[in-house]
Amino acid sequence: GVEVHEDYNEEKDIRTTVVKITTENGARTMGRPQGSYITIEAPGLSVHDEDYHREISLEIARHLQNVINLERELSILVVGLGNSAITADSLGPHVVENLHITRQMHRISGIIPGVMAQTGMETSEIIQGIVAETKPDIVIAIDALAARSTRRLNRTIQITNTGIQPGSGVGNHRCALDEKTVGVPVFAIGVPTVVDAATLTLDVLEDAGRP
């Protein structure tokens, strides 16, 4: 019930892994909901290189087109998760701030719901209200993630069609944003921007030859 496809573009130094969980048994085995999980590893992503970043953008677009049916006109709500006042948690808000909002072709709208410490409300509650009022076809949630290795920081992009649980990467579990809670399909895009102290220590020891 689990399919894994890997691809490596040597010229662009981009490694892509696509995991598809297709059965309930596969979901139990993997400990994740059924759906597609795409990981794009691009070591050069952390370097200021606009041409390389454009290549990565095209790669992200290609995979989004594979998981989202864009054959018909859609109304898309983009949610920028995170706290814009904290650099490591500001990915989502910054993406929405730089988004090209349009009502042509695919209608794009964006919202930065903030975090519970700022609003006193669960993010899922805010998004549920917006979805109920504006009735988008899909939601795309963008968030900063916690990395399991310092080597993944700002070098990996993860895409899934199963939604996201804000705060789970740092142990601050909030209500999930998924089709069950929101009422429309939720796609998530995340980039690891933080790592815990234990992981950092282990990586330093390994680099020093002391695993």
Side-chain angles (χ1 to χ4, degrees):
V2 179
E3 302 173 7
V4 180
H5 304 276
E6 293 186 351
D7 177 69
Y8 178 61
N9 187 318
E10 187 173 357
E11 180 184 353
K12 299 176 182 178
D13 194 18
I14 300 174
R15 185 181 302 279
T16 304
T17 305
V18 179
V19 178
K20 293 184 179 180
I21 302 176
T22 59
T23 66
E24 292 184 5
N25 185 52
R28 286 193 296 269
T29 302
M30 299 295 289
R32 294 185 176 186
Q34 292 184 50
S36 297
Y37 299 84
I38 302 164
T39 302
I40 302 171
E41 299 175 64
L45 192 60
S46 59
V47 179
H48 185 68
D49 183 340
E50 290 188 6
D51 290 335
Y52 187 75
H53 289 177
R54 190 173 295 110
E55 294 285 352
I56 300 300
S57 297
L58 292 173
E59 188 74 6
I60 295 171
R62 182 172 70 85
H63 286 289
L64 283 176
Q65 289 171 350
N66 287 336
V67 295
I68 301 175
N69 182 9
L70 297 177
E71 293 182 357
R72 64 182 181 87
E73 182 179 317
L74 295 177
S75 174
I76 302 172
L77 172 64
V78 181
V79 179
L81 299 171
N83 188 341
S84 58
I86 300 176
T87 301
D89 196 32
S90 62
L91 174 68
H94 284 323
V95 168
V96 172
E97 288 169 358
N98 289 278
L99 198 63
H100 178 58
I101 303 297
T102 177
R103 305 302 288 182
Q104 301 174 355
M105 189 70 179
H106 300 294
R107 300 187 303 278
I108 309 295
S109 55
I111 184 66
I112 302 173
V115 295
M116 194 171 188
Q118 297 171 317
T119 65
M121 294 179 284
E122 287 280 2
T123 301
S124 61
E125 296 173 343
I126 298 173
I127 303 307
Q128 286 170 17
I130 294 173
V131 168
E133 186 67 27
T134 63
K135 297 178 173 55
D137 295 304
I138 65 171
V139 169
I140 298 178
I142 301 171
D143 198 9
L145 307 177
R148 297 181 184 177
S149 167
T150 55
R151 298 174 186 83
R152 286 180 171 266
L153 287 174
N154 301 312
R155 298 179 179 93
T156 303
I157 300 162
Q158 297 179 0
I159 303 169
T160 181
N161 60 358
T162 61
I164 192 170
Q165 187 171 33
S168 60
V170 292
N172 182 27
H173 296 270
R174 313 310 311 174
C175 292
L177 287 177
D178 54 29
E179 186 170 3
K180 183 178 180 179
T181 59
V182 175
V184 298
V186 178
F187 301 83
I189 304 174
V191 176
T193 60
V194 296
V195 64
D196 61 39
T199 299
L200 179 62
T201 302
L202 289 171
D203 283 352
V204 171
L205 289 173
E206 183 178 346
D207 290 342
R210 298 173 59 187

